[in-house]
Amino acid sequence: MSDAPTYAQLTTKADAINESFEREFKRFERFFGDRLDSEFVPRLIRQLQVEGYSLADVDADLKALNELRVKFIGKKSEWMALKKLIGRIGDERERRNAGEHLSLIEVKFTDRFEPARLNLEKIGDTLRIKRECLDVTIPGRRPRRGHVHPITLVRERIEDIFVSLGYAIEDGREIETDFYNFDALNIPQNHPARASQDTFYTTDGFALRSQTSTVQIHAMQGRGAPVRMIAPGRVFRRDTPDPTHNPMFFQVEGLCVDRGITMAHLKGTVGEFLRRMFGPNTRTRFRPSYFPFTEPSAEFDFSCFKCGGSGCRICKQSGWIELGGSGMVHPNVLRVADIDPEEFSGFAFGLGIDRMVALMYNLDDIRLLFENDLRFLEQFD
Ligand code: 2NL
């Protein structure tokens, strides 16, 4: 268009630019929308999400939209150059008509870019908020709680029963002197029971306790008589491991010293304990035995908790299960604690917790309890 463009030339060119704008703006048309409709953007977002339209797409579209704006109505656009030519139309009426024609088109340009940009930004904001939001209603991941070892489980049941019978629970050291582990229990040097109670020794005269009686000697020395207590804990024996033996195991010993304590109290207490442990119909049986620290001594059995005494696999068809040893505290043991055997008497008993656990849970190998294999331990949850 040289010096003096005509109305026709100018408007034809403007219409051509308008047409190409319509073509190129088409892909942004859906962002233009109806600005009076508050549901417009949310509805559009739902549609876009179905299409998989993402934040990256928002940014790309915003950029493309701006490029389109620069191309069509930027300072260096063809459109701006065309507008400058209006003034060169000679005929005044044609000049005015051309001006009107172009400005109608330009209003449409500017009217569309801005709303489309605002809507796109709104969409971007919404997607960003969606991406960054936390759903506080999602159920939490439950932390896996630990659970007690089966030996602890049974020990705590035993403790509960004796606490309810008025017994104290006492704890003590696992490394003891020779004196507390043997001499105080009426097992002098060279006594044959030193062999059956054989344990592990340190080079300077200490021994890993082979029974928790040591705790009870300390308690009697400290508090004197009367005393009612149980001493649960870890003990050691020089044994070769097999399905029913382990060089370390758990024991609970009980002790009751007072004026006038007899074997009847022993039988009543052990019987009550076993009834609470295995049910009210449990019967108890005492067989004469020997322990250096009790006189007389007896081992005790209880009627099988599985078959009730008729005989089964667990009680090996006998109807009875052997559980522990007991007896009347030997006068020599009372004297160690400065308790006068003429005034006081007492009963004591001991049983293996591991053996009890193995029985109750039908374990065929006691060593399972100490392998710390979670596949085993988790069954006691
Ligand atoms: C068993 C046998 C027993 C005792 C432990 C004891 C404790 C003191 C005095 C006298 Cl301080 N006796 N304890 C008595 C008889 C048997 O244990 O088979 N344990 C697993």
Side-chain angles (χ1 to χ4, degrees):
M1 249 172 281
S2 55
D3 264 349
T6 64
Y7 166 82
Q9 281 174 325
L10 227 142
T11 52
T12 307
K13 183 73 189 154
D15 289 344
I17 293 175
N18 183 31
E19 240 173 72
S20 90
F21 170 81
E22 291 288 357
R23 214 169 30 247
E24 293 196 40
F25 188 78
K26 202 141 203 87
R27 60 180 279 224
F28 299 109
E29 207 142 55
R30 59 170 165 179
F31 300 118
F32 173 59
D34 179 356
R35 278 178 296 161
L36 295 176
D37 178 2
S38 65
E39 259 299 301
F40 170 69
V41 170
R43 207 185 313 120
L44 183 53
I45 288 172
R46 281 195 294 276
Q47 172 60 27
L48 291 172
Q49 280 181 329
V50 170
E51 293 170 20
Y53 188 83
S54 71
L55 264 173
D57 297 322
V58 172
D59 291 338
D61 275 347
L62 273 170
K63 191 161 168 261
L65 184 67
N66 191 49
E67 279 164 7
L68 208 62
R69 191 186 57 78
V70 171
K71 179 176 165 188
F72 279 97
I73 50 171
K75 281 201 187 79
K76 290 175 186 157
S77 61
E78 208 180 350
W79 183 258
M80 287 304 171
L82 194 65
K83 265 168 59 174
K84 286 194 189 114
L85 293 179
I86 299 173
R88 298 227 202 136
I89 296 175
D91 180 79
E92 204 217 300
R93 249 187 72 145
E94 282 197 357
R95 196 165 58 239
R96 192 161 5 103
N97 285 345
E100 267 169 27
H101 190 99
L102 264 66
S103 88
L104 271 175
I105 293 174
E106 195 181 271
V107 161
K108 192 193 63 184
F109 287 174
T110 50
D111 259 10
R112 293 219 190 155
F113 281 123
E114 194 54 11
R117 188 183 68 81
L118 289 174
N119 285 338
L120 257 168
E121 293 208 320
K122 220 184 284 177
I123 290 164
D125 288 347
T126 309
L127 291 182
R128 234 182 303 278
I129 286 167
K130 269 220 164 70
R131 188 184 63 181
E132 288 166 10
C133 83
L134 295 175
D135 183 352
V136 294
T137 67
I138 288 177
R141 264 184 291 247
R142 190 190 295 272
R144 261 172 53 108
R145 288 181 69 217
H147 55 87
V148 297
H149 191 280
I151 290 179
T152 309
L153 208 72
V154 173
R155 173 175 57 77
E156 287 179 346
R157 278 190 61 195
I158 297 171
E159 287 176 0
D160 285 349
I161 293 171
F162 278 102
V163 164
S164 79
L165 293 177
Y167 281 67
I169 297 169
E170 298 253 349
D171 208 348
R173 53 187 73 119
E174 289 175 9
I175 301 176
E176 270 294 353
T177 58
D178 219 52
F179 175 79
Y180 280 100
N181 200 59
F182 295 115
D183 303 85
L185 290 167
N186 202 31
I187 313 175
Q189 207 64 231
N190 302 319
H191 191 285
R194 288 238 174 174
S196 61
Q197 311 267 69
D198 202 13
T199 178
F200 303 93
Y201 305 89
T202 68
T203 47
D204 40 7
F206 293 104
L208 298 186
R209 66 182 184 195
S210 45
Q211 57 272 311
T212 57
S213 326
T214 51
V215 178
Q216 297 175 309
I217 301 291
H218 285 293
M220 283 192 285
Q221 284 181 330
R223 291 199 257 119
V227 61
R228 273 201 301 275
M229 61 173 293
I230 62 165
R234 199 188 290 271
V235 298
F236 306 84
R237 295 278 165 93
R238 208 185 126 168
D239 270 337
T240 306
D242 68 30
T244 57
H245 295 87
N246 205 51
M248 180 209 73
F249 59 101
F250 286 79
Q251 202 198 22
V252 56
E253 285 207 7
L255 174 73
C256 170
V257 178
D258 206 337
R259 295 175 183 89
I261 294 294
T262 69
M263 203 88 180
H265 296 110
L266 166 65
K267 294 179 76 173
T269 305
V270 170
E272 179 62 16
F273 160 63
L274 290 169
R275 280 191 295 279
R276 295 214 196 165
M277 200 74 195
F278 295 107
N281 297 324
T282 309
R283 283 162 290 126
T284 328
R285 164 173 100 168
F286 288 78
R287 287 175 287 106
S289 187
Y290 170 78
F291 300 106
F293 28 85
T294 45
E295 182 60 37
S297 302
E299 285 173 65
F300 56 89
D301 311 333
F302 68 102
S303 54
C304 180
F305 62 92
K306 196 79 187 173
C307 65
S310 56
C312 68
R313 210 176 60 80
I314 293 207
C315 58
K316 299 190 193 79
Q317 310 308 326
S318 76
W320 294 97
I321 296 173
E322 298 179 11
L323 192 62
S326 64
M328 300 306 292
V329 180
H330 196 289
N332 287 350
V333 177
L334 291 174
R335 279 188 205 102
V336 166
D338 234 353
I339 294 171
D340 180 4
E342 297 299 325
E343 186 183 358
F344 288 98
S345 58
F347 68 78
F349 60 88
L351 54 92
I353 302 180
D354 318 42
R355 221 186 88 71
M356 206 138 147
V357 171
L359 268 170
M360 292 164 73
Y361 295 105
N362 203 10
L363 308 181
D364 55 10
D365 194 326
I366 219 156
R367 292 170 295 184
L368 282 166
L369 292 167
F370 305 109
E371 282 169 2
N372 288 338
D373 187 334
L374 282 178
R375 290 169 303 178
F376 170 74
L377 293 174
E378 275 169 351
Q379 300 177 74
F380 300 88
D381 213 343

